Amino acid sequence: MHFADRLQHAIDKTDSRIVIGIDPDPMRIFAPGSKLQQSFSGKSKEHLLETFCVMVIDVAKQYACAVKPQAAFFESMGITGLTVLSRIIKYARNLGIPVILDAKRGDIGNTARAYAAAYLHPKSDFFVDALTINPFLGPDTLEPFVEMANENDCGLFVLVKTSNPGSSAFQDLKVTEEDCTSVQTVFEKVAASVAAIGNLNLGNCNFSNVGAVVGATYPENLTRLRQLMPRTIFLLPGYGAQGGTAEDVKPAFLKDGRGALVSSSRQIIFAYEQLDDLRPAPEEIYQAIADAARKTRDDVNCAIASI
């Protein structure tokens, strides 16, 4: 099934447009006094890491349309982290939950092809439904990823306008065309390229398998980006802990409530840190994460209903 159709099926099934980011920051989950560590006292770091990720995935099955593991945190934990990453990818996909790996890969030639094979080939230990990629080395560096994604019914999310405060330093620079007839920002140029590439592979839902990463922290850009990319699925990081709100993301959605995914990580997965109990039961940790996920889903749905 085409990636966009698979994603739309998950949205319809869960009535959710949120993606839960799995960001197992070792500075938090393994910190002295960590409530998670206290709850699973005596267990190995590998057991704790996998249990935490599985708990988040189980919550996502009910309240989210996808999960988004952040590769950096798993890589920072070496072989243990990579082993757990492989297992939780397979766990989520076996449950029918789309997995978007946030790795922001980008390179040239054979290296790009190797990255594509690492995440978008069915024989890989890290085979996911979609991958975030960096376009700023040029359009030719996207080709190996697009080819591999098309071959295996996978998706891509291309960095267009990122959520971090410093993104404007480069992405908002204005570019004058050679004929001096128009001026566009860098992110608008990238958006136009994403739309052109994506329009070559639309699913039955009429959306492309090549999506765009667009920060929820820049709502003023969303209307323009939607004009440039009408058939592109937006992945909207920056909701929650980074300051983005449900009202902020509304311009990313079409009037029928389709076309965008709201990503939230820390606000959901670390909700258990607010529990009063210094050593909460595993069931309490799960419930805290589930309550935060449900609230995020409902807040987004409420905002979208008013479009």
Side-chain angles (χ1 to χ4, degrees):
M1 183 185 292
H2 187 279
F3 169 70
D5 294 335
R6 197 157 68 246
L7 193 56
Q8 188 59 50
H9 174 73
I11 292 170
D12 294 340
K13 181 180 178 181
T14 58
D15 187 30
S16 178
R17 295 158 181 83
I18 72 165
V19 174
I20 300 180
I22 305 178
D23 296 10
D25 184 349
M27 299 297 289
R28 293 179 80 160
I29 64 174
F30 300 138
S34 158
K35 291 181 181 179
L36 183 72
Q37 194 156 244
Q38 292 298 319
S39 180
F40 295 94
S41 180
K43 300 295 185 180
S44 68
K45 287 188 174 182
E46 181 173 340
H47 177 91
L48 185 60
L49 174 62
E50 185 165 1
T51 299
F52 174 64
C53 294
V54 165
M55 199 177 288
V56 173
I57 292 167
D58 287 343
V59 167
K61 184 179 179 181
Q62 186 171 0
Y63 297 117
C65 63
V67 292
K68 183 172 68 68
Q70 170 50 257
F73 291 115
F74 293 92
E75 291 170 6
S76 74
M77 290 180 266
I79 298 301
T80 294
L82 292 174
T83 299
V84 171
L85 176 61
S86 176
R87 290 203 293 255
I88 65 146
I89 288 171
K90 293 170 184 173
Y91 179 75
R93 298 191 81 239
N94 285 339
L95 290 176
I97 303 171
V99 177
I100 303 167
L101 184 65
D102 193 355
K104 300 180 179 69
R105 298 299 189 229
D107 217 313
I108 62 174
N110 288 338
T111 311
R113 281 188 283 275
Y115 276 136
Y119 306 110
L120 303 173
H121 194 285
K123 292 185 179 180
S124 170
D125 290 334
F126 304 101
F127 179 51
V128 291
D129 294 273
L131 176 70
T132 60
I133 58 174
N134 188 334
F136 292 100
L137 277 73
D140 58 309
T141 67
L142 302 182
E143 292 174 5
F145 293 101
V146 173
E147 290 173 5
M148 188 70 72
N150 290 346
E151 287 176 10
N152 298 305
D153 287 327
C154 294
L156 301 169
F157 286 95
V158 183
L159 303 183
V160 173
K161 174 59 177 169
T162 56
S163 61
N164 56 301
S167 68
S168 59
F170 298 139
Q171 295 165 21
D172 288 10
L173 291 176
K174 293 185 177 180
V175 180
T176 303
E177 297 295 334
E178 290 183 4
D179 58 8
C180 298
T181 58
S182 65
V183 178
Q184 287 185 310
T185 62
V186 170
F187 73 75
E188 288 175 315
K189 296 279 287 183
V190 175
S193 293
V194 168
I197 294 168
N199 285 341
L200 299 176
N201 188 0
L202 299 178
N204 293 329
C205 63
N206 214 22
F207 284 101
S208 166
N209 69 328
V210 180
V213 177
V214 180
T217 48
Y218 294 99
E220 66 274 13
N221 299 137
L222 292 179
T223 300
R224 174 58 177 156
L225 288 170
R226 179 48 77 197
Q227 291 171 346
L228 290 168
M229 300 182 288
R231 297 301 169 195
T232 301
I233 299 171
F234 287 13
L235 177 62
L236 302 160
Y239 181 92
Q242 292 186 55
T245 69
E247 284 296 313
D248 290 337
V249 302
K250 285 170 61 173
F253 288 86
L254 301 181
K255 289 185 178 180
D256 60 5
R258 299 190 306 151
L261 312 172
V262 178
S263 176
S264 183
S265 304
R266 288 169 288 172
Q267 181 170 278
I268 294 175
I269 66 174
F270 294 122
Y272 67 87
E273 292 181 345
Q274 304 305 313
L275 294 171
D276 293 332
D277 194 343
L278 296 178
R279 189 174 183 173
E283 295 80 10
E284 293 177 285
I285 291 178
Y286 174 88
Q287 194 58 53
I289 296 171
D291 288 346
R294 183 179 62 252
K295 183 180 186 305
T296 301
R297 181 199 64 178
D298 293 349
D299 287 349
V300 171
N301 282 352
C302 183
I304 300 311
S306 65
I307 293 177

